[in-house]
Amino acid sequence: MEELEQGLLMQPWAWLQLAENSLLAKASITKQGYALLISDLQQVWHEQVDTLVVSQRAKELNKRLTAPPSAFLHHLEELLLPLFKDSAHQDAAHPSKATFSCDREAEALVLRVRSELSGLPFNWHFHCTPASSSLVSQHLIRPLIGVSLALQCHGRELAALLRMKDLEIQGYQESGAVLSRSRLKTEPFEENSFLEQFMVQKLPEACTVGDGRPFAMNLQSLYVAVTKQQIQAGQKHQGSGETQTSCSTSPRGTDSQLLDQPEQPVSSTPALSEPEHEPMGASGPMQRPQLAKAKRKKPRGLFS
């Protein structure tokens, strides 16, 4: 069942709107069985079954249908995966081929599916029990930590690029260039001021988790990229217990930069003559010699 478990890890979380409530869910279906994870942001439930269980449950729920387990698994895949993949775009104009409902039974959650197969009614019940702490860590905690570090690394790279652009513009200005359109003028980027303003103005909105839909809509590709990286790292360091998410070729150094490096104040008038004092970006020191060369060039096209 290793293929099934790895396939589930590679699936993004999808937002599933039901009549009762909304859920985050992910599923992996192969010829050997299926695995399903469901969460209401309060608890996480899980079910993983093989072909024997599929055959027995199919006989209980669909007495008029006779087919091998592979046929039922294929039909479930046709019902679930397209719905999960396009969960954010489901609407009245594109109705699902199945109807879903869920019930709580003691500690379990039962997800019921109603559809048709070969012109006959088809029913399926996913009997999910509380997921283990290791599963929650594998599918939520570790990937979300990786996503957070990746976004932090992404932000630092953008901040370093903005500082480089400011130096380039300063070089043009010192060469006598004048901005042709004043409405395009910007102030030099100061990371500390930007972060303070972000915390006050944007953070409350950015941290609105809601029912999980923003996460399912906006971070699917990044979540899958992080889980894929973790699988590759786990295979590479098998037996050592080292599985890390990094944005450079030196995972330990990068993690220490992201977690421990204090914010560096950025001067609004950086000096081109002192490259050794340039703040460090997430991927290393910035290349000043290129900026000095750009300073000596006369601007063409961008400024008049």
Side-chain angles (χ1 to χ4, degrees):
M1 303 292 278
E2 182 178 351
E3 178 185 356
L4 190 61
E5 295 171 359
Q6 183 168 311
L8 182 63
L9 184 59
M10 289 292 295
Q11 290 294 325
W13 288 90
W15 183 74
L16 184 61
Q17 178 64 55
L18 306 180
E20 303 86 356
N21 50 22
S22 57
L23 300 169
L24 289 177
K26 59 180 346 194
S28 175
I29 302 176
T30 68
K31 295 180 180 180
Q32 287 73 42
Y34 68 77
L36 176 71
L37 269 178
I38 298 176
S39 175
D40 61 355
L41 302 185
Q42 300 294 327
Q43 291 179 271
V44 181
W45 293 273
H46 173 250
E47 184 184 38
Q48 181 169 315
V49 300
D50 57 17
T51 54
L52 179 60
V53 175
V54 170
S55 180
Q56 292 175 344
R57 192 172 300 174
K59 292 178 181 178
E60 296 172 0
L61 298 174
N62 304 279
K63 299 184 183 300
R64 298 173 60 187
L65 289 171
T66 302
S70 58
F72 292 114
L73 288 168
H74 179 69
H75 186 60
L76 286 174
E77 183 178 21
E78 289 183 333
L79 295 177
L80 286 179
L81 296 190
L83 177 66
F84 288 172
K85 183 177 180 180
D86 301 323
S87 62
H89 307 288
Q90 293 295 320
D91 52 39
H94 302 85
S96 171
K97 295 180 180 179
T99 57
F100 295 82
S101 62
C102 68
D103 297 308
R104 303 276 184 92
E105 297 179 358
E107 292 294 322
L109 180 142
V110 180
L111 179 65
R112 307 177 192 276
V113 184
R114 307 179 93 180
S115 179
E116 286 189 0
L117 179 59
S118 300
L120 295 174
F122 173 80
N123 297 287
W124 195 262
H125 297 172
F126 295 94
H127 295 274
C128 304
T129 56
S132 64
S133 58
S134 61
L135 268 179
V136 175
S137 175
Q138 186 181 26
H139 289 270
L140 277 172
I141 298 176
R142 292 185 62 85
L144 291 182
I145 289 176
V147 167
S148 299
L149 292 174
L151 289 175
Q152 185 183 37
C153 180
H154 181 262
R156 289 190 180 279
E157 291 286 345
L158 289 177
L161 181 60
L162 285 173
R163 290 194 291 268
M164 296 281 282
K165 290 294 183 182
D166 283 343
L167 291 173
E168 182 179 0
I169 292 173
Q170 181 184 359
Y172 292 144
Q173 292 173 340
E174 291 176 355
S175 298
V178 178
L179 188 62
S180 59
R181 289 174 287 181
S182 59
R183 63 184 178 84
L184 298 179
K185 181 177 176 58
T186 58
E187 296 297 325
F189 176 71
E190 294 189 11
E191 187 172 1
N192 290 337
S193 299
F194 170 79
L195 290 175
E196 290 176 1
Q197 186 176 14
F198 176 82
M199 292 294 184
V200 174
Q201 298 182 0
K202 301 295 184 180
L203 188 64
E205 179 183 355
C207 290
T208 303
V209 177
D211 55 8
R213 186 176 184 179
F215 166 67
M217 290 178 62
N218 302 325
L219 291 175
Q220 288 192 31
S221 59
L222 182 56
Y223 175 91
V224 172
V226 169
T227 54
K228 182 178 180 180
Q229 177 67 24
Q230 291 181 347
I231 290 174
Q232 293 174 345
Q235 294 172 345
K236 183 177 180 180
H237 301 289
Q238 187 175 9
S240 66
E242 295 180 3
T243 305
Q244 299 182 3
T245 301
S246 170
C247 61
S248 75
T249 57
S250 177
R252 293 180 62 87
T254 300
D255 287 347
S256 63
Q257 283 184 356
L258 295 179
L259 296 176
D260 302 325
Q261 179 178 345
E263 298 292 340
Q264 298 294 332
V266 182
S267 173
S268 59
T269 57
L272 293 177
S273 60
E274 296 181 0
E276 66 276 14
H277 297 295
E278 181 63 26
M280 294 284 287
S283 60
M286 293 182 289
Q287 302 297 320
R288 284 293 189 80
Q290 294 180 1
L291 294 175
K293 184 178 180 180
K295 175 181 176 181
R296 292 193 295 269
K297 289 183 178 180
K298 291 186 179 180
R300 296 182 183 275
L302 295 178
F303 295 85
S304 60

